[in-house]
mmCIF file of all heavy atoms in Angstrom:
data_model
loop_
_atom_site.group_PDB
_atom_site.id
_atom_site.type_symbol
_atom_site.label_atom_id
_atom_site.label_comp_id
_atom_site.label_asym_id
_atom_site.label_seq_id
_atom_site.Cartn_x
_atom_site.Cartn_y
_atom_site.Cartn_z
ATOM 1 N N LEU A 213 -30.160 6.107 -0.707
ATOM 2 C CA LEU A 213 -30.280 6.789 0.625
ATOM 3 C C LEU A 213 -30.959 6.005 1.651
ATOM 4 O O LEU A 213 -30.747 6.182 2.815
ATOM 5 C CB LEU A 213 -30.890 8.115 0.413
ATOM 6 C CG LEU A 213 -30.171 9.201 -0.398
ATOM 7 C CD1 LEU A 213 -31.036 10.398 -0.725
ATOM 8 C CD2 LEU A 213 -28.881 9.567 0.208
ATOM 9 N N ASP A 238 -27.297 9.208 -4.217
ATOM 10 C CA ASP A 238 -28.223 8.858 -5.294
ATOM 11 C C ASP A 238 -28.955 10.238 -5.724
ATOM 12 O O ASP A 238 -30.029 10.556 -5.297
ATOM 13 C CB ASP A 238 -29.337 7.902 -4.726
ATOM 14 C CG ASP A 238 -30.161 7.306 -5.935
ATOM 15 O OD1 ASP A 238 -29.938 7.859 -7.071
ATOM 16 O OD2 ASP A 238 -31.031 6.544 -5.640
ATOM 17 N N LEU A 239 -28.263 10.849 -6.732
ATOM 18 C CA LEU A 239 -28.733 12.063 -7.249
ATOM 19 C C LEU A 239 -30.016 11.907 -8.183
ATOM 20 O O LEU A 239 -30.730 12.792 -8.548
ATOM 21 C CB LEU A 239 -27.666 12.851 -8.006
ATOM 22 C CG LEU A 239 -26.476 13.152 -7.092
ATOM 23 C CD1 LEU A 239 -25.435 13.905 -7.952
ATOM 24 C CD2 LEU A 239 -26.834 14.011 -5.874
ATOM 25 N N PHE A 240 -30.218 10.657 -8.639
ATOM 26 C CA PHE A 240 -31.320 10.420 -9.610
ATOM 27 C C PHE A 240 -32.693 10.302 -8.818
ATOM 28 O O PHE A 240 -33.677 10.652 -9.383
ATOM 29 C CB PHE A 240 -30.976 9.021 -10.358
ATOM 30 C CG PHE A 240 -29.732 9.056 -11.198
ATOM 31 C CD1 PHE A 240 -28.573 8.728 -10.741
ATOM 32 C CD2 PHE A 240 -29.822 9.609 -12.478
ATOM 33 C CE1 PHE A 240 -27.443 8.654 -11.509
ATOM 34 C CE2 PHE A 240 -28.740 9.642 -13.285
ATOM 35 C CZ PHE A 240 -27.532 9.121 -12.846
ATOM 36 N N ALA A 241 -32.610 9.897 -7.659
ATOM 37 C CA ALA A 241 -33.851 9.693 -6.860
ATOM 38 C C ALA A 241 -34.700 11.042 -6.813
ATOM 39 O O ALA A 241 -35.945 11.045 -6.862
ATOM 40 C CB ALA A 241 -33.560 9.152 -5.479
ATOM 41 N N PHE A 242 -33.996 12.171 -6.532
ATOM 42 C CA PHE A 242 -34.650 13.445 -6.442
ATOM 43 C C PHE A 242 -34.288 14.365 -7.577
ATOM 44 O O PHE A 242 -34.448 15.597 -7.408
ATOM 45 C CB PHE A 242 -34.276 14.040 -5.099
ATOM 46 C CG PHE A 242 -34.531 13.167 -3.919
ATOM 47 C CD1 PHE A 242 -33.639 12.540 -3.211
ATOM 48 C CD2 PHE A 242 -35.890 13.091 -3.612
ATOM 49 C CE1 PHE A 242 -33.962 11.713 -2.150
ATOM 50 C CE2 PHE A 242 -36.136 12.287 -2.341
ATOM 51 C CZ PHE A 242 -35.250 11.549 -1.625
ATOM 52 N N ASP A 243 -33.731 13.855 -8.645
ATOM 53 C CA ASP A 243 -33.436 14.655 -9.869
ATOM 54 C C ASP A 243 -32.417 15.687 -9.439
ATOM 55 O O ASP A 243 -32.624 17.035 -9.707
ATOM 56 C CB ASP A 243 -34.664 15.283 -10.414
ATOM 57 C CG ASP A 243 -34.367 15.815 -11.856
ATOM 58 O OD1 ASP A 243 -33.291 15.465 -12.437
ATOM 59 O OD2 ASP A 243 -35.110 16.622 -12.356
ATOM 60 N N LEU A 244 -31.319 15.328 -8.742
ATOM 61 C CA LEU A 244 -30.352 16.230 -8.268
ATOM 62 C C LEU A 244 -28.983 16.200 -9.003
ATOM 63 O O LEU A 244 -27.998 16.660 -8.602
ATOM 64 C CB LEU A 244 -30.072 16.002 -6.671
ATOM 65 C CG LEU A 244 -31.285 16.066 -5.782
ATOM 66 C CD1 LEU A 244 -30.707 15.688 -4.390
ATOM 67 C CD2 LEU A 244 -31.795 17.480 -5.872
ATOM 68 N N LEU A 245 -29.112 15.627 -10.236
ATOM 69 C CA LEU A 245 -27.793 15.384 -10.951
ATOM 70 C C LEU A 245 -27.115 16.649 -11.315
ATOM 71 O O LEU A 245 -25.861 16.765 -11.271
ATOM 72 C CB LEU A 245 -28.168 14.614 -12.295
ATOM 73 C CG LEU A 245 -26.978 14.193 -13.169
ATOM 74 C CD1 LEU A 245 -26.176 13.131 -12.292
ATOM 75 C CD2 LEU A 245 -27.429 13.462 -14.394
ATOM 76 N N HIS A 246 -27.886 17.777 -11.553
ATOM 77 C CA HIS A 246 -27.152 19.026 -11.878
ATOM 78 C C HIS A 246 -27.419 19.973 -10.750
ATOM 79 O O HIS A 246 -27.101 21.220 -11.008
ATOM 80 C CB HIS A 246 -27.817 19.594 -13.170
ATOM 81 C CG HIS A 246 -27.637 18.638 -14.347
ATOM 82 N ND1 HIS A 246 -26.436 18.387 -14.870
ATOM 83 C CD2 HIS A 246 -28.523 18.011 -15.090
ATOM 84 C CE1 HIS A 246 -26.535 17.647 -15.919
ATOM 85 N NE2 HIS A 246 -27.867 17.251 -16.036
ATOM 86 N N ALA A 247 -27.690 19.560 -9.562
ATOM 87 C CA ALA A 247 -27.783 20.486 -8.408
ATOM 88 C C ALA A 247 -26.414 20.837 -7.958
ATOM 89 O O ALA A 247 -25.434 20.152 -8.240
ATOM 90 C CB ALA A 247 -28.612 19.901 -7.342
ATOM 91 N N LYS A 248 -26.314 21.932 -7.123
ATOM 92 C CA LYS A 248 -25.024 22.376 -6.724
ATOM 93 C C LYS A 248 -24.910 22.289 -5.171
ATOM 94 O O LYS A 248 -26.007 22.458 -4.466
ATOM 95 C CB LYS A 248 -24.803 23.817 -7.109
ATOM 96 C CG LYS A 248 -24.574 23.993 -8.592
ATOM 97 C CD LYS A 248 -24.142 25.346 -9.025
ATOM 98 C CE LYS A 248 -23.754 25.483 -10.496
ATOM 99 N NZ LYS A 248 -23.115 26.778 -10.719
ATOM 100 N N VAL A 258 -27.628 21.379 -0.466
ATOM 101 C CA VAL A 258 -27.889 21.066 -1.781
ATOM 102 C C VAL A 258 -28.763 22.236 -2.373
ATOM 103 O O VAL A 258 -29.934 22.396 -2.025
ATOM 104 C CB VAL A 258 -28.479 19.760 -2.069
ATOM 105 C CG1 VAL A 258 -28.647 19.510 -3.653
ATOM 106 C CG2 VAL A 258 -27.651 18.659 -1.562
ATOM 107 N N SER A 259 -28.248 22.975 -3.348
ATOM 108 C CA SER A 259 -29.029 24.025 -4.057
ATOM 109 C C SER A 259 -29.733 23.343 -5.230
ATOM 110 O O SER A 259 -29.151 23.046 -6.311
ATOM 111 C CB SER A 259 -28.113 25.116 -4.424
ATOM 112 O OG SER A 259 -28.841 26.270 -5.081
ATOM 113 N N VAL A 260 -30.983 22.939 -5.010
ATOM 114 C CA VAL A 260 -31.641 22.146 -6.013
ATOM 115 C C VAL A 260 -31.971 22.986 -7.328
ATOM 116 O O VAL A 260 -31.682 22.596 -8.399
ATOM 117 C CB VAL A 260 -32.956 21.553 -5.395
ATOM 118 C CG1 VAL A 260 -33.591 20.561 -6.451
ATOM 119 C CG2 VAL A 260 -32.569 20.715 -4.123
ATOM 120 N N TYR A 261 -32.807 24.004 -7.082
ATOM 121 C CA TYR A 261 -33.289 24.852 -8.119
ATOM 122 C C TYR A 261 -32.694 26.257 -7.976
ATOM 123 O O TYR A 261 -33.315 27.060 -7.177
ATOM 124 C CB TYR A 261 -34.805 24.923 -8.337
ATOM 125 C CG TYR A 261 -35.450 23.519 -8.567
ATOM 126 C CD1 TYR A 261 -36.662 23.204 -7.777
ATOM 127 C CD2 TYR A 261 -34.893 22.571 -9.339
ATOM 128 C CE1 TYR A 261 -37.174 21.987 -8.025
ATOM 129 C CE2 TYR A 261 -35.462 21.302 -9.497
ATOM 130 C CZ TYR A 261 -36.604 21.052 -8.898
ATOM 131 O OH TYR A 261 -37.136 19.893 -8.965
ATOM 132 N N PRO A 396 -41.188 18.249 -17.761
ATOM 133 C CA PRO A 396 -40.781 18.589 -16.434
ATOM 134 C C PRO A 396 -39.692 19.752 -16.412
ATOM 135 O O PRO A 396 -38.804 19.810 -17.246
ATOM 136 C CB PRO A 396 -40.193 17.310 -15.902
ATOM 137 C CG PRO A 396 -40.756 16.240 -16.821
ATOM 138 C CD PRO A 396 -40.938 16.759 -18.112
ATOM 139 N N ARG A 397 -39.808 20.600 -15.410
ATOM 140 C CA ARG A 397 -38.959 21.677 -15.189
ATOM 141 C C ARG A 397 -38.875 22.704 -16.219
ATOM 142 O O ARG A 397 -37.997 23.514 -16.290
ATOM 143 C CB ARG A 397 -37.492 21.123 -14.963
ATOM 144 C CG ARG A 397 -37.375 20.172 -13.753
ATOM 145 C CD ARG A 397 -35.987 19.752 -13.463
ATOM 146 N NE ARG A 397 -35.115 20.842 -13.133
ATOM 147 C CZ ARG A 397 -33.898 20.743 -13.002
ATOM 148 N NH1 ARG A 397 -33.238 19.531 -12.950
ATOM 149 N NH2 ARG A 397 -33.072 21.752 -12.584
ATOM 150 N N TYR A 398 -39.929 22.685 -17.105
ATOM 151 C CA TYR A 398 -39.891 23.699 -18.293
ATOM 152 C C TYR A 398 -39.919 25.106 -17.721
ATOM 153 O O TYR A 398 -39.226 25.929 -18.336
ATOM 154 C CB TYR A 398 -41.003 23.402 -19.183
ATOM 155 C CG TYR A 398 -41.100 24.438 -20.337
ATOM 156 C CD1 TYR A 398 -40.384 24.281 -21.433
ATOM 157 C CD2 TYR A 398 -41.987 25.484 -20.197
ATOM 158 C CE1 TYR A 398 -40.362 25.180 -22.430
ATOM 159 C CE2 TYR A 398 -42.024 26.474 -21.277
ATOM 160 C CZ TYR A 398 -41.252 26.287 -22.344
ATOM 161 O OH TYR A 398 -41.314 27.239 -23.422
ATOM 162 N N GLN A 400 -38.691 26.446 -15.302
ATOM 163 C CA GLN A 400 -37.442 26.904 -14.721
ATOM 164 C C GLN A 400 -36.558 27.695 -15.792
ATOM 165 O O GLN A 400 -35.595 28.441 -15.302
ATOM 166 C CB GLN A 400 -36.635 25.795 -14.078
ATOM 167 C CG GLN A 400 -37.204 25.184 -12.856
ATOM 168 C CD GLN A 400 -36.401 24.078 -12.315
ATOM 169 O OE1 GLN A 400 -35.218 23.900 -12.575
ATOM 170 N NE2 GLN A 400 -37.188 23.161 -11.656
ATOM 171 N N GLU A 428 -32.795 20.571 -21.314
ATOM 172 C CA GLU A 428 -31.699 20.118 -20.580
ATOM 173 C C GLU A 428 -30.560 21.109 -20.747
ATOM 174 O O GLU A 428 -29.804 21.424 -19.831
ATOM 175 C CB GLU A 428 -31.256 18.664 -21.073
ATOM 176 C CG GLU A 428 -32.302 17.635 -20.630
ATOM 177 C CD GLU A 428 -31.896 16.237 -21.308
ATOM 178 O OE1 GLU A 428 -30.863 16.130 -22.026
ATOM 179 O OE2 GLU A 428 -32.615 15.267 -20.986
ATOM 180 N N LEU A 431 -31.395 24.427 -18.885
ATOM 181 C CA LEU A 431 -31.161 24.280 -17.432
ATOM 182 C C LEU A 431 -29.659 24.140 -17.128
ATOM 183 O O LEU A 431 -29.267 24.735 -16.052
ATOM 184 C CB LEU A 431 -31.909 23.048 -16.986
ATOM 185 C CG LEU A 431 -33.442 23.109 -17.122
ATOM 186 C CD1 LEU A 431 -34.118 21.751 -16.612
ATOM 187 C CD2 LEU A 431 -34.087 24.281 -16.324
ATOM 188 N N SER A 435 -27.925 27.000 -14.578
ATOM 189 C CA SER A 435 -27.255 26.478 -13.352
ATOM 190 C C SER A 435 -25.702 26.869 -13.319
ATOM 191 O O SER A 435 -25.141 26.995 -12.287
ATOM 192 C CB SER A 435 -27.372 24.939 -13.140
ATOM 193 O OG SER A 435 -28.738 24.680 -13.038
#
Side-chain angles (χ1 to χ4, degrees):
L213 295 173
D238 188 358
L239 302 179
F240 296 94
F242 302 104
D243 193 18
L244 301 180
L245 189 60
H246 299 294
K248 289 190 175 183
V258 182
S259 184
V260 182
Y261 303 138
R397 300 183 65 182
Y398 177 81
Q400 288 177 29
E428 291 175 358
L431 294 178
S435 299

